[in-house]
Amino acid sequence: MIGYTTIGVKDIEAAKKFYTKLFDAEVLVDVGRLAMIGKDIGEPKIAVCEPFDGNAPSVGNGSMVAFPGGSREGADALYKKAISLGATCDGEPGPRIEDVFYGAYVRDADGNKLCFFDFS
């Protein structure tokens, strides 16, 4: 259902490096101030961009992009990888919502909140 999600960044080159390494993906579209990162153009992607209006990017209060881990171990692995790439912890991996949902939360260098999850 989702084609791509766009997040604002201050340093487009650093963001491309972080997200391509995090997801073992590639830059599929690069138009200078915006790049779409993924594994296949027909699959959901994350887009990183320097805001069109020239103002500083900002994160939304309550906004978050969630990525399936495939399993609890997969969510843990993405969390650890993100931290190793410079993200900061915003909620250590663990069960939530009556042990039905497992989540791990980080913030990238620009403060964008990411969740790596698994439904058990």
Side-chain angles (χ1 to χ4, degrees):
M1 186 179 302
I2 295 174
Y4 65 92
T5 299
T6 303
I7 57 173
V9 299
K10 292 177 234 157
D11 184 336
I12 193 82
E13 293 304 317
K16 288 190 292 189
K17 185 177 178 182
F18 176 83
Y19 284 100
T20 57
K21 287 185 177 199
L22 177 61
F23 294 118
D24 296 321
E26 61 185 280
V27 174
L28 300 171
V29 175
D30 193 337
V31 293
R33 67 169 200 83
L34 180 139
M36 290 187 168
I37 297 161
K39 295 187 178 186
D40 183 287
I41 198 70
E43 297 296 321
K45 294 161 286 305
I46 184 151
V48 294
C49 76
E50 295 170 337
F52 180 77
D53 65 7
N55 292 322
S58 61
V59 297
N61 185 24
S63 298
M64 179 179 70
V65 182
F67 300 93
S71 65
R72 289 179 177 207
E73 295 78 16
D76 288 348
L78 284 169
Y79 170 86
K80 289 175 186 171
K81 190 171 187 180
I83 296 294
S84 77
L85 292 169
T88 57
C89 175
D90 203 47
E92 291 189 10
R96 280 132 169 110
I97 311 173
E98 299 177 5
D99 204 31
V100 172
F101 180 84
Y102 186 89
Y105 303 87
V106 300
R107 293 215 180 239
D108 71 6
D110 293 293
N112 295 297
K113 188 171 184 177
L114 311 176
C115 173
F116 309 113
F117 71 92
D118 180 59
F119 282 105
S120 301

